[in-house]
Amino acid sequence: MRMLLIHSDYLEYEVKDKALKNPEPISDEQKKGRLDEVLAVFISVEKVDETNPDEVVEKAVKEIEDVASQVKAERIFVYPFAHLSSELAKPDVALEVLRKIEEKLKERGFEVKRAPFGYYKAFKLSCKGHPLAELSRTIVPEEAVSK
Ligand SMILES: C[C@@H](O)[C@H](N)C(=O)N[C@H]1[C@@H](O)[C@H](n2cnc3c(N)ncnc32)O[C@@H]1CO
């Protein structure tokens, strides 16, 4: 998994078109979204993550929580982003991983939004620009490391 974490004044998106044959079903309300004072987390779920999705979810949540506490962000925007890797996981695995990350962050008390999966989306982002405002993380399941 590849993550790009941007501490932002706001992130807003608008769904434009389907990018997959069967994108995640969404309500009209989910076609647009915005959070202010947010840690935006752009995530590419990778093929290697398919060997142990649950472990990757746990590691990703820990990394996100760690950065959020450093930048004092209480809101997280989980944003599916297929452009951080050339070895993408299958959509059904990727969506499940992203849903679980969203769920676990909510359990830990964050206000969380997740941008819809499987769409082309317009988005606006205002990066805060401080030294920890732009970070990236790479996460792999343990067995993938030991191979
Ligand atoms: C396109 C661009 O504007 C938009 N931002 C986009 O990336 N859309 C992606 C993700 O929402 C999702 N998607 C599919 N596979 C994956 C994956 N392995 N990891 C994350 N997302 C995925 O499916 C879309 C097409 O790849």
Side-chain angles (χ1 to χ4, degrees):
M1 174 186 289
R2 304 284 174 132
M3 298 199 293
L4 174 64
L5 304 100
I6 309 285
H7 190 205
S8 307
D9 299 315
Y10 68 87
L11 167 65
E12 64 182 34
Y13 75 83
E14 182 180 354
V15 167
K16 289 298 181 187
D17 208 347
K18 288 184 177 182
L20 290 178
K21 194 159 158 244
N22 299 307
E24 175 186 18
I26 55 171
S27 64
D28 284 347
E29 190 199 3
Q30 288 173 290
K31 286 182 179 164
K32 287 185 179 180
R34 177 187 171 107
L35 278 180
D36 294 295
E37 294 307 311
V38 64
L39 178 61
V41 187
F42 296 87
I43 298 178
S44 286
V45 184
E46 297 185 287
K47 204 114 203 85
V48 68
D49 302 327
E50 293 178 2
T51 56
N52 194 337
D54 287 341
E55 183 190 349
V56 165
V57 166
E58 283 306 319
K59 287 182 173 180
V61 168
K62 188 180 172 314
E63 286 293 340
I64 293 166
E65 216 173 2
D66 179 46
V67 172
S69 68
Q70 286 183 62
V71 301
K72 298 181 178 38
E74 293 167 4
R75 293 187 197 88
I76 314 276
F77 219 127
V78 176
Y79 200 101
F81 200 70
H83 312 286
L84 301 176
S85 170
S86 55
E87 301 276 322
L88 292 176
K90 292 180 298 199
D92 57 325
V93 173
L95 177 53
E96 203 41 41
V97 164
L98 291 160
R99 279 189 171 132
K100 285 179 179 168
I101 290 172
E102 173 192 13
E103 184 190 315
K104 290 186 181 300
L105 288 169
K106 285 178 177 173
E107 286 168 8
R108 283 161 171 72
F110 290 100
E111 181 183 346
V112 186
K113 276 188 188 281
R114 179 173 58 79
F117 184 95
Y119 295 91
Y120 293 109
K121 295 179 286 297
F123 71 91
K124 290 180 184 161
L125 176 70
S126 170
C127 172
K128 286 182 176 288
H130 60 71
L132 292 177
E134 300 160 281
L135 298 169
S136 64
R137 294 287 187 274
T138 297
I139 293 166
V140 289
E142 211 50 49
E143 51 265 41
V145 174
S146 51
K147 266 182 193 149

